[in-house]
Coordinates of all heavy atoms in Angstrom, one line a residue:
K1 N 66.1 1.7 -11.9 CA 66.7 1.9 -10.6 C 67.6 0.7 -10.2 O 68.7 0.7 -9.7 CB 65.7 2.2 -9.5 CG 66.3 2.6 -8.1 CD 66.9 4.0 -8.2 CE 67.3 4.4 -6.8 NZ 68.0 5.7 -6.9
T2 N 67.0 -0.5 -10.5 CA 67.7 -1.8 -10.2 C 68.9 -1.9 -11.0 O 70.0 -2.4 -10.5 CB 66.7 -3.0 -10.5 OG1 65.5 -2.8 -9.7 CG2 67.4 -4.3 -10.1
L3 N 68.9 -1.5 -12.3 CA 70.1 -1.6 -13.1 C 71.3 -0.7 -12.6 O 72.4 -1.0 -12.9 CB 69.7 -1.1 -14.5 CG 69.0 -2.1 -15.5 CD1 68.7 -1.5 -16.8 CD2 69.7 -3.4 -15.6
E4 N 71.0 0.3 -11.8 CA 72.0 1.1 -11.2 C 72.9 0.3 -10.3 O 74.0 0.8 -10.0 CB 71.4 2.3 -10.5 CG 70.7 3.3 -11.4 CD 70.1 4.5 -10.7 OE1 70.3 4.5 -9.4 OE2 69.5 5.3 -11.3
E5 N 72.5 -0.9 -9.9 CA 73.3 -1.7 -9.0 C 74.5 -2.4 -9.8 O 75.4 -2.9 -9.2 CB 72.4 -2.8 -8.4 CG 71.3 -2.2 -7.5 CD 70.3 -3.3 -7.0 OE1 70.7 -4.5 -7.1 OE2 69.3 -3.0 -6.5
L6 N 74.4 -2.3 -11.1 CA 75.4 -3.0 -11.9 C 76.5 -2.0 -12.4 O 76.2 -0.8 -12.5 CB 74.8 -3.5 -13.2 CG 73.8 -4.7 -13.0 CD1 73.0 -5.0 -14.3 CD2 74.5 -6.0 -12.5
P7 N 77.7 -2.4 -12.7 CA 78.7 -1.6 -13.3 C 78.2 -1.1 -14.6 O 77.4 -1.7 -15.3 CB 79.9 -2.5 -13.5 CG 79.7 -3.7 -12.5 CD 78.2 -3.8 -12.5
E8 N 78.8 0.0 -15.1 CA 78.4 0.7 -16.3 C 78.3 -0.2 -17.5 O 77.3 -0.2 -18.3 CB 79.3 1.9 -16.7 CG 78.9 2.7 -17.9 CD 79.8 3.8 -18.2 OE1 80.8 4.0 -17.5 OE2 79.6 4.5 -19.2
E9 N 79.3 -1.0 -17.7 CA 79.4 -2.0 -18.8 C 78.2 -2.9 -18.9 O 77.5 -3.1 -19.9 CB 80.7 -2.8 -18.8 CG 80.8 -3.8 -19.9 CD 82.1 -4.6 -19.8 OE1 82.8 -4.5 -18.8 OE2 82.3 -5.4 -20.7
Y10 N 77.9 -3.5 -17.7 CA 76.7 -4.4 -17.6 C 75.4 -3.6 -17.7 O 74.4 -4.2 -18.3 CB 76.8 -5.2 -16.3 CG 77.9 -6.2 -16.3 CD1 79.2 -5.9 -16.2 CD2 77.5 -7.6 -16.5 CE1 80.2 -6.9 -16.2 CE2 78.5 -8.6 -16.5 CZ 79.8 -8.2 -16.4 OH 80.8 -9.2 -16.4
R11 N 75.3 -2.5 -17.0 CA 74.1 -1.7 -17.1 C 73.7 -1.3 -18.5 O 72.6 -1.5 -18.9 CB 74.3 -0.4 -16.3 CG 73.1 0.4 -16.1 CD 73.2 1.5 -15.0 NE 74.2 2.5 -15.4 CZ 75.4 2.7 -14.8 NH1 75.7 2.0 -13.7 NH2 76.2 3.7 -15.2
D12 N 74.7 -0.9 -19.3 CA 74.5 -0.6 -20.7 C 74.0 -1.8 -21.5 O 73.0 -1.7 -22.3 CB 75.8 -0.1 -21.3 CG 75.6 0.2 -22.8 OD1 75.2 1.4 -23.1 OD2 75.9 -0.7 -23.7
F13 N 74.7 -3.0 -21.3 CA 74.3 -4.2 -22.0 C 72.9 -4.6 -21.7 O 72.1 -4.9 -22.6 CB 75.2 -5.3 -21.6 CG 74.9 -6.7 -22.2 CD1 75.1 -6.9 -23.5 CD2 74.3 -7.6 -21.4 CE1 74.8 -8.1 -24.1 CE2 73.9 -8.9 -21.9 CZ 74.2 -9.1 -23.3
Y14 N 72.5 -4.6 -20.4 CA 71.1 -5.1 -20.1 C 70.0 -4.1 -20.4 O 68.9 -4.4 -20.6 CB 71.1 -5.5 -18.6 CG 71.8 -6.9 -18.4 CD1 73.1 -7.0 -17.9 CD2 71.2 -8.1 -18.8 CE1 73.8 -8.2 -17.8 CE2 71.8 -9.3 -18.7 CZ 73.1 -9.3 -18.1 OH 73.8 -10.6 -18.0
A15 N 70.4 -2.8 -20.4 CA 69.5 -1.8 -20.8 C 69.1 -2.0 -22.2 O 68.0 -1.8 -22.7 CB 70.0 -0.4 -20.5
R16 N 70.1 -2.2 -23.1 CA 69.9 -2.5 -24.5 C 69.0 -3.7 -24.7 O 68.1 -3.7 -25.6 CB 71.2 -2.5 -25.3 CG 72.0 -1.2 -25.3 CD 73.3 -1.3 -26.0 NE 74.1 -0.1 -25.8 CZ 74.0 0.9 -26.6 NH1 73.1 0.9 -27.7 NH2 74.7 2.0 -26.4
R17 N 69.2 -4.8 -23.9 CA 68.4 -5.9 -24.0 C 67.0 -5.6 -23.6 O 66.0 -6.1 -24.3 CB 68.9 -7.0 -23.1 CG 70.2 -7.7 -23.7 CD 70.4 -9.0 -22.9 NE 69.3 -9.9 -23.0 CZ 69.2 -11.1 -22.3 NH1 70.2 -11.4 -21.4 NH2 68.2 -11.8 -22.4
M18 N 66.8 -4.8 -22.6 CA 65.4 -4.4 -22.3 C 64.7 -3.6 -23.4 O 63.6 -3.9 -23.7 CB 65.5 -3.5 -21.0 CG 65.8 -4.2 -19.7 SD 66.1 -3.1 -18.3 CE 64.5 -2.3 -18.2
V19 N 65.5 -2.7 -24.1 CA 64.9 -1.9 -25.2 C 64.5 -2.9 -26.3 O 63.4 -2.8 -26.9 CB 65.9 -0.9 -25.7 CG1 65.4 -0.3 -27.0 CG2 66.1 0.2 -24.7
L20 N 65.3 -3.9 -26.6 CA 65.0 -4.8 -27.7 C 63.8 -5.7 -27.3 O 62.9 -5.9 -28.1 CB 66.2 -5.8 -27.9 CG 67.4 -5.2 -28.6 CD1 68.6 -6.2 -28.6 CD2 67.1 -4.7 -30.0
R21 N 63.6 -6.0 -26.0 CA 62.5 -6.8 -25.6 C 61.2 -6.0 -25.7 O 60.2 -6.5 -26.1 CB 62.7 -7.2 -24.1 CG 61.6 -8.2 -23.6 CD 62.0 -8.9 -22.4 NE 61.0 -9.8 -21.9 CZ 60.7 -11.0 -22.3 NH1 61.5 -11.5 -23.4 NH2 59.8 -11.7 -21.8
I22 N 61.3 -4.7 -25.3 CA 60.1 -3.8 -25.5 C 59.8 -3.7 -26.9 O 58.5 -3.7 -27.3 CB 60.4 -2.4 -24.8 CG1 60.5 -2.5 -23.3 CG2 59.3 -1.4 -25.2 CD1 61.0 -1.3 -22.6
Q23 N 60.7 -3.5 -27.8 CA 60.4 -3.4 -29.2 C 59.8 -4.6 -29.7 O 58.8 -4.6 -30.5 CB 61.7 -3.0 -30.0 CG 62.3 -1.7 -29.7 CD 63.6 -1.5 -30.5 OE1 64.3 -2.4 -30.8 NE2 63.9 -0.2 -30.8
E24 N 60.3 -5.8 -29.3 CA 59.8 -7.0 -29.8 C 58.3 -7.3 -29.3 O 57.5 -7.8 -30.0 CB 60.7 -8.2 -29.3 CG 60.2 -9.6 -29.6 CD 61.0 -10.7 -28.9 OE1 62.1 -10.3 -28.4 OE2 60.6 -11.8 -28.9
K25 N 58.0 -7.0 -28.0 CA 56.8 -7.3 -27.4 C 55.7 -6.3 -27.6 O 54.5 -6.6 -27.6 CB 57.0 -7.6 -25.9 CG 57.9 -8.8 -25.6 CD 57.2 -10.1 -26.0 CE 58.1 -11.3 -25.7 NZ 57.4 -12.6 -26.1
A26 N 56.1 -5.0 -27.7 CA 55.1 -3.9 -27.6 C 55.0 -3.1 -28.9 O 53.9 -2.5 -29.1 CB 55.4 -3.0 -26.4
Y27 N 56.0 -3.0 -29.7 CA 55.9 -2.1 -30.9 C 54.9 -2.8 -31.9 O 54.9 -4.0 -32.0 CB 57.3 -2.0 -31.6 CG 58.1 -0.9 -30.9 CD1 58.0 -0.5 -29.6 CD2 59.1 -0.2 -31.7 CE1 58.8 0.4 -29.0 CE2 59.9 0.7 -31.1 CZ 59.8 1.1 -29.8 OH 60.5 2.0 -29.2
S28 N 54.2 -1.9 -32.6 CA 53.2 -2.4 -33.5 C 53.6 -2.1 -34.9 O 54.3 -1.1 -35.2 CB 51.8 -1.7 -33.3 OG 50.9 -2.0 -34.3

């Protein structure tokens, strides 16, 4: 919901960073 405050280009970029962080920290 917070990411929706950003323009699409930035929202896409930071969403992908979030996915990478989840994969790095939580995937087994």
